[in-house]
């Protein structure tokens, strides 16, 4: 299992290659909720999401061992694709990303801008099969999106950076897709801020992690979910992440309407272009705060800010700004 | 006329009461345009816009003279309302904002949160008449939105802050509503970075400033314009600002479609929730860059980030992200 010291080492490795993103808060939101909500603005990270942390850590660790691959492959139509493409560009390693034909134009552009080749397949199943075949070629490294100790260690650096900026907090909140970010967060927080409760948030329509924790075994979604929070649409968590996710103080399943609600409000209050996956965590925050005394200090990890036009259109199709956040 | 030294003094006065907002750039956009575009992220300013600079400067100057008013009034349904409300809260002065009944819920909320009273009238004409009547009451100060030397001096601090962060640039771009920001920018830039060209951007449907410069006299819009860039929908510039605007190197009239285009692209690339009024300047940037050698350094003043739901819905109703920016 990934240890705290793995995260400390990852942080040293990647520090010079990533941005230190700011902590942002809204006095209006703090007033309305009676607590202090500190947001780690990781949507301002290189490639627009935390995913670069794990991808860079993977390659940087191999570089230390003089064991860099000749080429890298990955399967993703989301932020992991851009993260791998960017990390490979730092080490001048050719990268090939296997994705589906419905990948959004903006994500395809960015992946190619970072120098990666993009191979598109009709279905996710076909893309997954193709990456598996490509990965057996000699000198090829397949960088997985979440279920690997080096990825988890890399993602755990986000909360380390954040806690250094905020000091101790009472609660830490992050979205759950495959569980890489949340696992790294749990491991780091247990050492750095052991009194803090750690919560995940997941779309109700893609609640495989909540279901897995309830049944105490990994449950997969039976079909691709329909959700605004595409970063948390992963069909299942992995063996590595599931073991760590068992340490969570809770996971909240969020309706699509609340995901849109919080995306509108956080974009408006924080002036950040942040993903529904990131905003979703706020529903877990308010549900937790309802049962706490006033004046809690809360850290919310805003995981990313890559949103295509059709999602933005959906998010802003109804007016949620008429309903002020409260407990 | 406002002088450079007025802006220097304004900056000293307001520094401790405002945020230093960051300079942000997109490597992707720089690559596409062959120049370096530096964005001053003033949408992250207190109240979400540069307008606090002028409002605070007005009161801070009076405080130095022991001449603070007993109450303040202002007419605005936009960022100036929140700016005046916030500035008055800093000095514990009651503020009353005169606005129209169609003011957006989010702007009304924010204005009231900062402690101001909101008086709503059916039409702009009636609100303007009411503020005029209220302003004659003894001890009352009417803070105008742009046409006053203290406001212009306050807004000029934005480019001073920005140039200290960026160093010299070749071109400076800002939107033109009443011309307060652009006037302050021109006066400060002529001293701080005299070689830089300074350009304004205005909605084509609200092009009173461009028309005024063409005819060399102040021209008013004949009716309220329909534009996404509501911050630049002001019916006319003022006598103070018009004199300074004559120093512009150009003003570009931007179509609604290009305003939506640049708002989508800048929100996407910069991960900032910025107003159409702010994004509009990019059309002026590309039109200027077309006739310049490569590798210019450009400063764009992102004036604010307050957008209501109906505007967001309009901005994102069509997909502009399929068409990559170029010259």
């Amino acid at each position: 299992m990934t240890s705290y010291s793995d995260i400390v080492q990852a942080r040293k490795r990647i520090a010079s290659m990533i941005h230190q993103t700011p902590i942002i808060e809204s006095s209006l939101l703090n007033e309305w909720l009676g607590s202090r909500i500190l947001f780690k603005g990781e949507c301002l990270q290189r490639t627009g999401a935390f995913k670069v942390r794990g991808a860079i850590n993977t390659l940087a660790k191999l570089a230390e061992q003089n064991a860099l691959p000749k080429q890298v492959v990955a399967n993703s139509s989301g932020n992991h694709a851009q993260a791998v493409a960017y990390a490979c560009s730092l080490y001048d390693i050719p990268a090939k990303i296997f994705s589906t034909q419905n990948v959004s134009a903006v994500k395809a552009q960015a992946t190619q801008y970072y120098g990666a080749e993009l191979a598109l397949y009709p279905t996710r199943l076909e893309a997954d099969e193709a990456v598996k075949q490509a990965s057996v070629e000699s000198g090829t490294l397949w960088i997985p999106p979440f279920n690997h100790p080096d990825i988890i260690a890399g993602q755990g650096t986000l909360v380390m950076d954040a806690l250094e900026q905020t000091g101790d907090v009472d609660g830490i909140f992050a979205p759950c897709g495959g569980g890489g970010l949340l696992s790294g967060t749990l491991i780091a927080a247990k050492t750095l801020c052991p009194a803090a409760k750690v919560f995940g948030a997941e779309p109700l329509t893609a609640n495989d992690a909540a279901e897995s924790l309830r049944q105490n075994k990994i449950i997969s979604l039976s079909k691709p979910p329909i959700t605004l929070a595409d970063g948390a649409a992963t069909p299942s968590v992995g063996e590595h992440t599931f073991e760590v996710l068992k340490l969570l103080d809770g996971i909240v399943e969020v309706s699509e309407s609340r995901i849109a609600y919080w995306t509108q409000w956080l974009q408006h209050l924080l002036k950040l272009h942040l993903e529904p996956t990131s905003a979703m965590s706020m529903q877990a925050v308010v549900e937790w705060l309802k049962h706490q005394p006033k004046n809690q200090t809360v850290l919310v990890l805003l995981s990313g800010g890559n949103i295509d036009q059709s999602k933005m259109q959906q998010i802003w199709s109804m007016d949620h700004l008429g309903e002020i956040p409260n407990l």
Side-chain angles (χ1 to χ4, degrees), chain A:
Chain A
M1 200 194 263
T2 312
S3 69
Y4 175 66
S5 117
D6 293 329
I7 300 176
V8 172
Q9 286 172 47
R11 192 168 181 233
K12 281 189 203 141
R13 272 185 209 116
I14 71 174
S16 68
M17 289 177 270
I18 62 168
H19 291 315
Q20 171 68 300
T21 54
I23 300 288
I24 295 179
E25 65 186 305
S26 159
S27 55
L28 213 50
L29 185 65
N30 290 346
E31 163 118 347
W32 287 332
L33 301 185
S35 280
R36 191 170 180 200
I37 322 291
L38 303 169
F39 294 94
K40 175 68 169 166
E42 190 72 356
C43 47
L44 299 170
Q45 187 51 266
R46 288 183 187 282
T47 77
F50 73 94
K51 291 270 188 182
V52 280
R53 294 172 179 265
I56 296 177
N57 182 49
T58 301
L59 292 182
K61 189 175 164 189
L62 291 171
E64 283 170 6
Q65 301 161 350
N66 272 319
L68 279 172
K70 272 191 259 170
Q71 61 171 343
V72 165
V73 296
N75 46 335
S76 165
S77 52
N79 291 330
H80 181 58
Q82 295 167 66
V84 168
Y86 180 72
C88 288
S89 76
L90 296 176
Y91 288 94
D92 248 332
I93 299 171
K96 189 167 179 179
I97 309 294
F98 295 75
S99 189
T100 51
Q101 281 160 359
N102 65 354
V103 63
S104 78
V106 293
K107 287 182 180 175
Q109 276 161 20
T111 302
Q112 290 169 312
Y113 167 69
Y114 295 123
E117 185 187 341
L118 199 57
L120 299 180
Y121 294 83
T123 65
R124 183 168 180 149
L125 217 67
E126 287 164 278
D128 291 353
E129 187 53 40
V131 77
K132 197 188 284 182
Q133 281 176 24
S135 71
V136 298
E137 206 178 305
S138 154
T140 300
L141 174 70
W142 181 4
I143 302 187
F146 54 85
N147 196 39
H148 190 286
D150 295 339
I151 298 288
I152 295 171
Q155 318 309 32
T157 63
L158 177 58
V159 78
M160 275 193 80
D161 285 351
L163 287 170
E164 192 171 278
Q165 293 166 289
T166 62
D168 277 358
V169 298
D170 303 304
I172 301 173
F173 294 77
C176 187
L181 174 60
L182 212 38
S183 296
T185 301
L186 276 159
I187 296 163
K190 292 297 169 207
T191 295
L192 284 171
C193 188
K197 304 288 182 191
V198 180
F199 294 89
E202 197 177 40
L204 184 59
T205 62
N207 64 347
D208 60 284
E211 198 55 35
S212 300
L213 289 168
R214 274 192 288 268
Q215 299 194 26
N216 201 27
K217 62 177 183 188
I218 297 176
I219 304 291
S220 285
L221 298 174
S222 56
K223 54 178 190 204
I226 293 172
T227 178
L228 285 173
D230 49 10
T234 324
S236 71
V237 301
E239 299 103 49
H240 288 280
T241 55
F242 186 53
E243 284 313 303
V244 189
L245 293 176
K246 291 175 181 172
L247 304 172
L248 278 174
D249 293 288
I251 185 161
V252 172
E253 296 154 84
V254 188
S255 71
E256 292 303 302
S257 162
R258 285 288 104 175
I259 294 174
Y261 175 90
W262 284 113
T263 309
Q264 287 193 7
W265 270 104
L266 292 194
Q267 290 191 353
H268 170 62
L269 290 171
L270 305 179
K271 309 302 178 200
L272 292 179
H273 186 70
L274 49 83
E275 296 182 12
T277 303
S278 301
M280 178 171 66
S281 302
M282 271 308 297
Q283 187 61 26
V285 172
V286 295
E287 293 192 11
W288 183 66
L289 286 178
K290 274 177 195 167
H291 307 288
Q292 304 302 314
K294 290 258 165 198
N295 298 317
Q296 302 292 307
T297 302
V298 162
L299 171 62
V300 177
L301 303 176
L302 297 177
S303 48
N306 293 318
I307 321 169
D308 62 28
Q309 180 266 340
S310 66
K311 282 277 189 302
M312 280 299 284
Q313 190 176 32
Q314 282 177 65
I315 292 163
W316 287 94
S317 63
M318 279 178 56
D319 188 6
H320 293 295
L321 298 182
E323 183 198 342
I324 291 179
N326 60 49
L327 294 187

